[in-house]
Amino acid sequence: MRKPRIRRPHSLAGRLFAMQTVLVAAVVAGCAAFAYAADRGQAEESARRQVTAAAVAVAASPAVRDAVRSADPAAALQPYAERVRRDTDVDFVTIMDRDGTRWTHPDPDRIGERFLGHTGPALDGRTFSETYTGTLGPSVRAVAPVTDGHRVIALVSAGITVDAISAEIRRQLIGLLGVAVGALALGGAGTYVLNARLRRHTHGMNATELSRMHDYHEAALHAVREGLLMLDGQRRIALINDGGRELLGLDGEVIGRRVTALGLPPALTDALLSTEPRLDELHLTADRIVVVNTSPVSGGERSGTVVTLRDHTELQALSGELDSVRGFAEALRSQAHEAANRLHAVVSLIELGRADEAVDFVTAELELAQALTDQVVAAVAEPVLAALLLGKAAQANEHGVELLLAPDTRIDDGLLPPGLPARDLVTVLGNLIDNAVDAASEEANRGSAAARRAYVTVTVRADGDELLLRVADNGAGVAPDIVDDVFRRGWTTKAAGPQEAAAHGRGLGLALVRQAAGRNGGTVTVADAPGGGAEFTVRLPLRVRAGARP
């Protein structure tokens, strides 16, 4: 048994084509009917003027007046009336006595009979017209008086039959129908072309499908947390969802604005304007780290670009925390190894009977290990910063770098305001220490270990109403001509360029430092350190400034 075929609703283009075809046909039919009615009225009016002119001209002829006075008016007037009828292209010219007796007629047998029609107004001296059914059938006729001075001595009637008028209208109607058919064909062809274009752009979907697609489109745009951006061929924003506005920090109406007018960082603007695809590129905005993917769109009238944005801020923070945990684990592993060596030494001293020397050795090691811890705990009461400094000290020691705490370092518990996130402090201080340790270690490795001592000095203190974070090293320093570049995303001394740096996850540390400082209303500066390396100083307000972002 055949399954009944489900009929798919007609497409929007098909429905519009049908509606437009009917509309064009109705308009053309209406215009044709109006033109026919107008032509018929004009034909009757033209016939009325024609017969009136003919009747008046005959009535005013002196020859007619002379013939009326003759003994046999019919003999003189019949040839004259027929000649006038043929010359004026009317159907009849009847000249009659005052009582209506015909002297002329197209049918000679009708001469002498009574005229069929009204003559009253003409007997009163007035010319008039009417439509009346006479011996030749319905006709449009005019009756004019023949006067001799002020006296009416005869009457003249000229007329055109309705059949003759209808025949003329039919001839005009054929031309009118040709024009109407041509207009209908032209309108249908234009409608077909327009609807074929519409069908191509709507992909043959009907109104219900388009409405449903629009609803799904709007719902999807607002539901997706990732940012979605669509640019037209002029690199203007054609579409953006809520996630894109949030990730790019855009407010107000941005549809139709050019990318260059959005105030985005230059590197991000270049990525959005690129005609080549971009895959998983990291870019920094004022508040976030975003992963950018771009895909050019070809086809249609203009090419554009589809851009997707993913928030990488939290992932980057977690990655930093993971790196810290990994560093702690490496430090613990190294310390466990060193502790095992020291324990073997202590055991050996005890086995050799040198217990006093074993006690002195253990005491010295404990004092050395506890010295930095006591210094950090005494100077930095903020637990997050204290833990960070202790962890970074262990990591620095693994690289052969000594982490020093400046004598003026002092942070009391409760000094930091609640509006200053601990994660931003970890980002700022952790990245600065990591860069300083790398710089000091690399510089130390260029010479002998005995000839050069690698160290990093950290200063954390309150300076008026600002929190001062300063990290100095005795590495190679920063050349004056690249001071502006060190905070740029992708800049690093460990890779050949920004692309390689992005591929290896490098070149973000100092950019994140500047971003975190700017997000909290602070500043970052770089200068030469007293030991010959670089000195980075970050100042963060301890009070929330008006208009600052939470």
Side-chain angles (χ1 to χ4, degrees):
M1 182 177 179
R2 286 184 68 183
K3 294 182 179 179
R5 196 172 81 175
I6 300 176
R7 295 187 61 185
R8 185 173 180 268
H10 294 291
S11 66
L12 177 63
R15 291 185 177 182
L16 286 178
F17 176 71
M19 293 175 59
Q20 289 174 344
T21 302
V22 172
L23 180 61
V24 170
V27 170
V28 171
C31 291
F34 175 78
Y36 173 76
D39 286 348
R40 186 174 185 85
Q42 290 177 357
E44 292 182 354
E45 183 62 26
S46 176
R48 196 177 303 276
R49 288 196 300 268
Q50 183 179 352
V51 297
T52 300
V56 170
V58 172
S61 173
V64 173
R65 285 196 294 271
D66 293 342
V68 169
R69 297 190 190 99
S70 66
D72 188 4
L77 294 176
Q78 175 67 12
Y80 175 78
E82 287 301 300
R83 187 170 62 252
V84 171
R85 180 179 67 83
R86 290 190 298 270
D87 292 343
T88 57
D89 198 21
V90 296
D91 290 327
F92 66 88
V93 175
T94 300
I95 304 174
M96 69 197 83
D97 197 356
R98 285 176 53 87
D99 61 358
T101 302
R102 297 191 188 101
W103 289 328
T104 65
H105 194 275
D107 184 3
D109 295 338
R110 299 288 185 180
I111 295 175
E113 296 180 358
R114 295 293 298 272
F115 174 75
L116 300 180
H118 300 93
T119 60
L123 292 174
D124 293 335
R126 292 184 293 107
T127 301
F128 73 98
S129 62
E130 64 176 352
T131 300
Y132 195 85
T133 302
T135 57
L136 299 179
S139 62
V140 175
R141 61 181 62 182
V143 181
V146 179
T147 60
D148 184 9
H150 296 288
R151 185 171 64 91
V152 176
I153 60 176
L155 302 176
V156 178
S157 176
I160 298 176
T161 62
V162 174
D163 291 339
I165 297 174
S166 299
E168 179 64 24
I169 293 175
R170 281 194 296 270
R171 287 193 297 270
Q172 296 178 359
L173 185 60
I174 294 175
L176 178 62
L177 288 177
V179 173
V181 171
L184 183 61
L186 183 62
T191 300
Y192 177 79
V193 171
L194 291 176
N195 282 275
R197 184 181 181 89
L198 178 62
R199 185 189 302 274
R200 186 167 59 252
H201 285 295
T202 58
H203 302 283
M205 291 185 291
N206 56 48
T208 303
E209 291 171 334
L210 288 173
S211 177
R212 184 165 58 247
M213 176 175 290
H214 176 268
D215 294 340
Y216 289 162
H217 171 268
E218 290 295 321
L221 280 181
H222 293 289
V224 174
R225 292 189 60 190
E226 287 74 15
L228 178 63
L229 205 66
M230 292 187 182
L231 308 178
D232 61 14
Q234 303 297 324
R235 296 301 184 266
R236 294 174 299 195
I237 295 182
L239 183 146
I240 185 171
N241 68 343
D242 297 340
R245 290 176 180 272
E246 182 179 357
L247 292 178
L248 297 180
L250 301 178
D251 298 324
E253 182 60 38
V254 297
I255 300 297
R257 293 177 59 186
R258 295 186 180 274
V259 173
T260 53
L262 299 179
L264 299 176
L268 180 55
T269 301
D270 293 340
L272 297 181
L273 294 178
S274 174
T275 57
E276 299 296 328
R278 298 294 183 95
L279 181 63
D280 291 339
E281 287 191 1
L282 289 179
H283 289 272
L284 274 70
T285 65
D287 301 318
R288 298 177 181 274
I289 305 170
V290 294
V291 180
V292 178
N293 287 275
T294 66
S295 177
V297 177
S298 59
E301 296 182 355
R302 296 179 180 176
S303 60
T305 306
V306 176
V307 182
T308 60
L309 308 169
R310 298 197 309 273
D311 192 357
H312 199 67
T313 308
E314 298 296 329
L315 184 59
Q316 187 68 30
L318 293 176
S319 177
E321 294 178 4
L322 179 60
D323 290 340
S324 298
V325 172
R326 186 182 294 113
F328 294 156
E330 290 295 326
L332 291 175
R333 181 192 59 77
S334 176
Q335 290 179 0
H337 181 73
E338 291 298 323
N341 291 335
R342 295 185 182 100
L343 184 59
H344 286 306
V346 172
V347 172
S348 298
L349 287 174
I350 293 176
E351 288 178 348
L352 294 174
R354 298 183 178 183
D356 294 337
E357 294 179 7
V359 172
D360 293 339
F361 178 77
V362 171
T363 302
E365 288 296 326
L366 289 175
E367 290 177 354
L368 182 62
Q370 192 66 28
L372 180 60
T373 302
D374 292 342
Q375 184 183 6
V376 170
V377 172
V380 181
E382 179 62 36
V384 175
L385 291 180
L388 177 66
L389 290 173
L390 291 175
K392 292 300 180 182
Q395 289 180 347
N397 185 54
E398 281 295 303
H399 291 82
V401 178
E402 185 179 359
L403 184 65
L404 304 176
L405 204 61
D408 59 346
T409 295
R410 183 72 184 179
I411 292 294
D412 295 328
D413 189 15
L415 177 66
L416 301 181
L420 185 60
R423 176 172 292 178
D424 286 348
L425 290 178
V426 172
T427 297
V428 171
L429 197 57
N431 281 292
L432 290 180
I433 293 176
D434 288 341
N435 286 342
V437 169
D438 289 341
S441 177
E442 289 177 4
E443 187 66 18
N445 290 335
R446 290 193 177 96
S448 63
R452 185 170 182 85
R453 167 175 165 255
Y455 64 88
V456 172
T457 304
V458 179
T459 303
V460 181
R461 61 182 174 84
D463 186 11
D465 59 350
E466 293 180 327
L467 174 64
L468 183 143
L469 305 174
R470 179 173 293 154
V471 178
D473 61 73
N474 64 339
V478 178
D481 57 336
I482 62 171
V483 168
D484 294 334
D485 294 333
V486 297
F487 295 104
R488 179 170 46 85
R489 181 195 67 84
W491 185 91
T492 179
T493 60
K494 299 180 181 180
Q499 298 296 333
E500 182 182 345
H504 293 83
R506 301 192 182 107
L508 276 177
L510 293 177
L512 291 176
V513 169
R514 185 171 65 174
Q515 183 192 66
R519 185 166 55 243
N520 293 279
T523 60
V524 184
T525 58
V526 58
D528 294 333
E535 180 181 83
F536 289 85
T537 302
V538 178
R539 294 180 177 273
L540 301 174
L542 291 176
R543 298 176 183 176
V544 179
R545 295 177 180 176
R549 296 175 181 265

